[in-house]
Amino acid sequence: TDKFKLRCDWRNTHFFWGDERCVPPDDMRSNYRMVYDTLIGKLDLPDENIHRIEGERGREAAVEYEGEIKRAFKIKDGSLPEFDLILLGMGEDGHTASIFPYTNAVKDDNKIVTALSPDKLEVPRITLTSPVINNARNIIFLVSGSKKASVLKEVIEGDFEPERFPAQTTRLSKGRVRWFVDVGVAERLKKPDYGT
C-alpha cells in the first residue's frame, strides 16, 4: 500500500539479485519477474537502480553480473561488495540462494558470482557466492513450511557441515543474521530458556 511505499527512499535504493534461473525475465520461473510483479513494478525507480541477472544469456551471465557488481560497488579484483541487506530463503535440502549441497557453488570462494547446473535442476542457475553473502551487513532468512523443520534444526543447531547444508555458511557472516520462521518450520528447534 502507499503508506508503506512512502516509508523508504526507494530512489536511493538499488536492487540486486542473489540468484537467478537461466530463463528470460518474463518466464514464470524468473526471480526477477517475481520481484518485479510484487515490488519493483509498484515503485518509481530509475532503471539504473535495478541490477538484474540476465539469466536469458545463460552461464555467461555470471561473468557479466560479476562485472556489474564490481562497477556498481566500485571494487577491484580480489575485493568483495558489502551489501546492506541480503534477503534469503532456504530449501528443503538446506540450500540458500542457488548454493546447493555438494556443488561447486559451496566451495567457490574466489568469485563474486558463479554459474552452476546441478543434475536435479531443470535449468542452470547463477548465484552470489558464500563469501559475498557473508560479507553483507545484514542477512535475513524468511523460511516457512513444516517440511523444512528438520533441515532448519540441522542448519541452526547441528554440526557445521556447509557442503551438506549450504545455509550454514552464514554462520561465518561478519554481519547480523536474523531468521524469520513460521511455527511449522520452527517446531523442532530447542525452545529458549527464559528462566523463571
Side-chain angles (χ1 to χ4, degrees), residues 2 10 27 32 42 58 63-64 110 119 127 138 148 169-170 177 186 190 193:
D2 284 343
W10 294 110
D27 190 289
Y32 169 79
K42 297 171 175 47
V63 174
E64 293 169 359
N110 60 352
D119 296 338
T127 188
N138 295 279
K148 299 177 184 177
T169 62
T170 58
V177 180
K190 291 178 187 170
D193 181 6

Side-chain angles (χ1 to χ4, degrees), residues 105-116:
V106 176
K107 297 178 181 178
D108 213 341
D109 57 4
N110 60 352
K111 296 180 183 175
I112 292 173
V113 180
T114 194
L116 70 162

Side-chain angles (χ1 to χ4, degrees), residues 10 76 91 157 191:
W10 294 110
K76 297 178 180 176
E157 298 174 351
K191 303 298 183 263

